[in-house]
Amino acid sequence: MTRQSVAEIRPQVRKYGELTSLEVEVAKANDALLILPVGACEQHGDGLPVSTDSIRAEHVATAVAEELAGRAFVLPSIDYGVSPHHGNLPGTITLDPRTFVDIVTTVAGQLSDSGFTRILVITGHGGNMAALGVAQQVLLGTHPNLTFAYSPVSALATESTATLPRTEVSGHSGESETSQMLAIDDHLVDSPRLTAGATALADLSPRARLSRTKSPTSAVTFDQYSENGVLGDPRTATAAAGDDILGEIIAKLVAYSREMLRL
């Protein structure tokens, strides 16, 4: 029996998991970019869902693929991340960093072996960044012809985040993340339960305060910052601010993705 073939991918498809096997071959022949969203399942204070990081990563990845109109496809997401620093607070499920690296390198390596040459990982969880750096180095050794890039979400929005009314200490489950979630789907935010967490360096223990230094770097579990594991005051978040933040992130990733596609 002769295998069928197709010349084009159905125009509405943006997710790798919705491609047929025949369409995967077309995507490969077209040197498509594959976008892998990775997130986490971890505590996000009293008002945000535990899958906040995965939701944001997939939202951004889908928007980037939409802008690239058939030249990029979103892989099934990895919804568990490296989150031991959140493990003392309810809701957290963490992978060992070595397991996370193995998952990412296995997925990327198999895609490379099958003929894909470009993968962009978008992580909604900053705690995945170090492991993604390790994964990148592993892949340089095993698949040197694979262009493997990775990026955070919130950290790209330097201009729009700078306009937020942020407290001295801010970050996890704070003004930026909450604004993004309100913009994506305000029904996922339990707004009446939003409460401030750690907001001032003077209120932190010496070890927690030292961990806020960018370099050298140290770490503490998030219950040492505040009882609810929040950095900042999410009560000031707005959907309008979230739209601005997400817009800046998506624009920067689209520009970078176009450069990847020119390789």
Side-chain angles (χ1 to χ4, degrees), residues 120-230:
L120 172 63
V121 179
I122 297 175
T123 177
H125 175 46
N128 292 336
M129 290 290 286
L132 287 170
V134 173
Q136 186 178 68
Q137 295 302 309
V138 170
L139 289 165
L140 275 176
T142 60
H143 296 80
N145 295 324
L146 172 67
T147 301
F148 178 91
Y150 64 94
S151 174
V153 173
S154 296
L156 292 182
T158 52
E159 295 179 14
S160 49
T161 301
T163 66
L164 291 176
R166 290 182 296 171
T167 54
E168 182 184 19
V169 174
S170 65
H172 183 74
S173 305
E175 298 86 348
S176 176
E177 281 195 331
T178 305
S179 292
Q180 291 171 57
M181 287 301 294
L182 287 170
I184 293 169
D185 187 349
D186 60 1
H187 292 96
L188 297 176
V189 180
D190 190 357
S191 293
R193 301 292 182 191
L194 293 172
T195 53
T199 59
L201 287 170
D203 296 334
L204 301 179
S205 69
R207 183 177 171 188
R209 188 162 54 249
L210 186 64
S211 75
R212 301 302 293 167
T213 302
K214 295 296 183 183
S215 184
T217 300
S218 62
V220 296
T221 54
F222 264 63
D223 57 300
Q224 293 189 51
Y225 288 124
S226 62
E227 289 186 1
N228 61 1
V230 173

Side-chain angles (χ1 to χ4, degrees), residues 5 24 28 64 90 118 166 176 245 263:
S5 64
V24 168
K28 194 185 307 176
V64 171
R118 303 173 179 88
R166 290 182 296 171
S176 176
I245 293 167
L263 297 176

Side-chain angles (χ1 to χ4, degrees), residues 2 13 22 27 35 54-55 57 75 108 115 134 154 158 174 178 204 241 244 250:
T2 303
V13 178
L22 300 177
I35 305 174
S54 298
I55 292 165
L75 291 161
V134 173
S154 296
T158 52
T178 305
L204 301 179
D244 290 341
I250 291 163

